[in-house]
Amino acid sequence: MISQYLARTLPGEKRFRWRGGDVSRLEGIVDAAFAFALTLLLVSTEMPAHIGELKEFFIQLPVLLVTFVLLILVWHEHFVFHRRYGLEDPLTRLLNFAVLFLVLVYVYPLKFLFHLLYNHLVLGRPGDYRSEIPVLSGAGDMQLLMMLYGAGVLALFGLFALMFRRAWRLREALGLDPVEQELTRGAMRSQLLSAGVAGISVLVAAADEGWGAWSGIAYFLMWPTQWWNGVRTGRAVERLEQAAASAAGGESVRGGEA
């Protein structure tokens, strides 16, 4: 499995000691579930029956690519969490299974949403290319779609926030140094910000039937909020490292005088 390979070959992070040992059964189950989710993306695509459908397969390839990348990003977040903390307690296992459930449930809705956006905004197709039947029958369908999608995003990032919160509460047992503690807080804050953006999108969509299409604009808030969080966390880490270096230098001077 890829997690086993990465766990053996990657040295960890410069500012964070990896506490996860060999890949556990929990991580193995997660890898299998993500592999199954990725398989569903391709299995749901029928084999082309003629050259026209083959051409259409490659036209729709960006939809598969975007969905694939999003699933890989979620998997990577999970991988880094377990490498950093190596937690296997009952609450962490429960949160992991909840994440897996969401990933498997939302594979098709995620693909449906990006299929709709790509065909409508990029290709200028109001309906399914195989027929004249509209994919959405009205503004109410778009409202429901964006609310369902936003609820899934909010729940997923909320679960990751709880996982990092669990690691934060066990920081002393895990032996996290001040820099690792700050990075953990930054990661938890990052998940909460993403969940908050998804919550805003859901509220906008729920406010009015005609606002469903506009609620997706809220996700553009991801970039400035995550940038702000990254800058804040980076500056805090730099201050901690400078304080540690000053303290080490002072001890060296006192040691030399002695």
Side-chain angles (χ1 to χ4, degrees):
M1 286 205 174
I2 187 171
S3 290
Q4 294 175 325
Y5 173 77
L6 292 176
R8 290 195 307 267
T9 57
L10 294 182
E13 300 174 69
K14 179 181 178 181
R15 292 169 168 167
F16 213 111
R17 179 172 63 87
W18 282 7
R19 290 160 176 82
D22 294 334
V23 176
S24 64
R25 293 183 64 185
L26 177 61
E27 289 182 87
I29 293 174
V30 171
D31 282 353
F34 272 96
F36 180 68
L38 293 174
T39 302
L40 287 177
L41 290 177
L42 297 176
V43 169
S44 62
T45 304
E46 297 180 359
M47 184 181 70
H50 50 78
I51 192 64
E53 290 188 353
L54 179 62
K55 178 182 177 181
E56 185 64 28
F57 171 80
F58 284 100
I59 291 176
Q60 299 295 325
L61 202 57
V63 177
L64 291 175
L65 178 60
V66 171
T67 314
F68 177 86
V69 169
L70 290 176
L71 287 176
I72 290 297
L73 289 176
V74 174
W75 174 86
H76 182 264
E77 194 75 14
H78 182 273
F79 172 78
V80 171
F81 174 85
H82 279 278
R83 291 302 93 202
R84 283 182 171 184
Y85 308 107
L87 291 174
E88 298 288 340
D89 60 285
L91 179 56
T92 303
R93 291 199 298 269
L94 178 62
L95 293 173
N96 273 266
F97 293 141
V99 168
L100 290 185
F101 178 78
L102 277 177
V103 168
L104 293 176
V105 166
Y106 270 86
V107 168
Y108 286 149
L110 187 64
K111 183 179 178 182
F112 177 84
L113 175 63
F114 284 104
H115 174 84
L116 173 67
L117 295 176
Y118 176 68
N119 280 271
H120 182 70
L121 300 179
V122 179
L123 301 181
R125 296 174 174 177
D128 191 337
Y129 76 95
R130 291 164 296 188
S131 68
E132 297 300 324
I133 301 175
V135 178
L136 301 178
S137 61
D141 286 349
M142 175 59 76
Q143 180 189 38
L144 177 60
L145 175 62
M146 295 307 297
M147 289 176 62
L148 289 174
Y149 176 75
V153 175
L154 192 157
L156 181 62
F157 284 114
L159 287 170
F160 273 118
L162 290 175
M163 290 170 63
F164 281 103
R165 173 64 178 171
R166 180 63 175 167
W168 170 254
R169 295 190 64 180
L170 296 175
R171 59 190 181 278
E172 294 184 0
L174 292 170
L176 300 183
D177 62 34
V179 170
E180 291 173 331
Q181 291 184 30
E182 186 60 42
L183 290 173
T184 300
R185 291 176 60 192
M188 181 170 54
R189 191 164 51 239
S190 173
Q191 309 302 324
L192 290 173
L193 286 170
S194 296
V197 169
I200 292 173
S201 177
V202 172
L203 290 176
V204 171
D208 189 273
E209 187 178 82
W211 293 2
W214 295 101
S215 64
I217 297 177
Y219 291 100
F220 286 102
L221 293 173
M222 289 280 192
W223 283 276
T225 54
Q226 294 299 338
W227 174 83
W228 168 82
N229 181 56
V231 170
R232 176 179 175 178
T233 303
R235 289 176 177 174
V237 167
E238 289 177 358
R239 287 195 296 268
L240 289 171
E241 291 178 336
Q242 290 172 0
S246 299
E251 291 179 359
S252 299
V253 172
R254 287 194 296 271
E257 292 176 352

